[in-house]
Amino acid sequence: MSIREIFPIDKWDFKSQSVLTGLPEDELQVLTAHQTENIYSKGEIIFREGGYPSGIFYIKKGKAKKYKVAREGGEQIIYVANAGELLGFHAVLEGDRYPDSAAALEESLIAFIPKEDFLKVLEQSSELSKRLLKTLSHEFAVVVNSLALFSQHSVRERLALQLVVLREKYKIDFTPGMPVEINLSREDLANLVGTARENIVRTLSEFKAEGIVETRGRKIIVKDVVALIKIADYK
């Protein structure tokens, strides 16, 4: 049974090919002519809110979080980006400062593409324009869904839903019945759910006692995704 039969995962997880996969070779050559690649360690900042963009970032391997920093210093994670996704292009398109910050969630290989090359290809590529529009629409939908989730659901329900979504994002070479390890700190999970770390630890303990999840250090293994979907109570 596909998860899509019982849960609207497409509202949360963007399943598509890489944004750059399949672009015409001449466009790809211009786009990547001056790119540089860097390995970011877990927690390393990719860009900060308020900074001026000089290009975009392409995740080749790993994951990154987009987040806002509150006045008191706490974080609210607004999006988890996977390999194949772009970061920072919103600010380049708007010609403005970064509206949020981004950091690696795990060791990640990320390419930097100068904005001049990005904008040059964008001007001539209808395919890249369509893909970016689709990406923007998806990210906006995730933000809207998250706002509704915070206002209408309990911490237990929100955590259940985010574990369902993260399970999809952490699938690698997945086959039915295969365990999926969610490798995310309790602090990041709390910032994604929008609650205190203590609430996450307590609720995860409840899920463990109910046989829904298993933990190995910071890793979380979902044993009963159907139970999480029922707890989330998300239509």
Side-chain angles (χ1 to χ4, degrees), residues 116-127:
E116 293 80 10
D117 294 340
F118 171 65
L119 293 173
K120 182 177 180 180
V121 173
L122 189 60
E123 287 177 0
Q124 65 188 45
S125 176
S126 60
E127 181 59 29

Side-chain angles (χ1 to χ4, degrees), residues 45-65:
I45 301 296
I46 301 169
F47 57 79
R48 294 185 185 276
E49 179 178 355
Y52 284 104
S54 56
I56 64 170
F57 298 86
Y58 174 59
I59 306 175
K60 289 196 164 186
K61 184 179 180 181
K63 293 177 179 61
K65 61 181 178 181

Side-chain angles (χ1 to χ4, degrees), residues 10-137:
D10 292 327
K11 292 184 177 181
W12 299 89
D13 190 30
F14 193 31
K15 287 294 183 185
S16 71
Q17 289 184 315
S18 159
V19 173
L20 305 185
T21 297
L23 284 179
E25 188 60 31
D26 59 332
E27 295 178 2
L28 198 58
Q29 286 181 358
V30 173
L31 195 63
T32 60
H34 304 104
Q35 78 169 15
T36 56
E37 294 182 359
N38 289 290
I39 294 178
Y40 289 78
S41 57
K42 179 191 173 301
E44 187 173 354
I45 301 296
I46 301 169
F47 57 79
R48 294 185 185 276
E49 179 178 355
Y52 284 104
S54 56
I56 64 170
F57 298 86
Y58 174 59
I59 306 175
K60 289 196 164 186
K61 184 179 180 181
K63 293 177 179 61
K65 61 181 178 181
K66 294 177 62 178
Y67 62 95
K68 301 281 287 186
V69 178
R71 287 184 179 179
E72 58 274 15
E75 292 180 8
Q76 176 61 60
I77 297 177
I78 55 178
Y79 189 76
V80 174
N82 244 331
E85 295 192 64
L86 298 176
L87 297 169
F89 69 93
H90 307 72
V92 173
L93 292 176
E94 294 173 359
D96 204 351
R97 298 171 185 259
Y98 289 119
D100 47 33
S101 300
L105 279 171
E106 59 190 35
E107 185 173 275
S108 302
L109 176 62
I110 300 178
F112 173 79
I113 299 172
K115 67 178 181 181
E116 293 80 10
D117 294 340
F118 171 65
L119 293 173
K120 182 177 180 180
V121 173
L122 189 60
E123 287 177 0
Q124 65 188 45
S125 176
S126 60
E127 181 59 29
L128 182 58
S129 297
K130 286 190 293 185
R131 294 183 187 187
L132 289 179
L133 182 59
K134 187 175 182 180
T135 299
L136 285 167
S137 298

Side-chain angles (χ1 to χ4, degrees), residues 12-13 63 79-80 82 165-171:
W12 299 89
D13 190 30
K63 293 177 179 61
Y79 189 76
V80 174
N82 244 331
V165 175
L166 288 169
R167 177 178 175 271
E168 293 298 302
K169 288 182 177 289
Y170 276 85
K171 282 182 178 179

Side-chain angles (χ1 to χ4, degrees), residues 186 204-205 208 213-221:
R186 301 298 182 264
L204 277 178
S205 295
K208 284 176 63 178
V213 304
E214 176 185 342
T215 58
R216 299 171 189 165
R218 59 178 261 160
K219 295 180 180 177
I220 302 169
I221 298 91

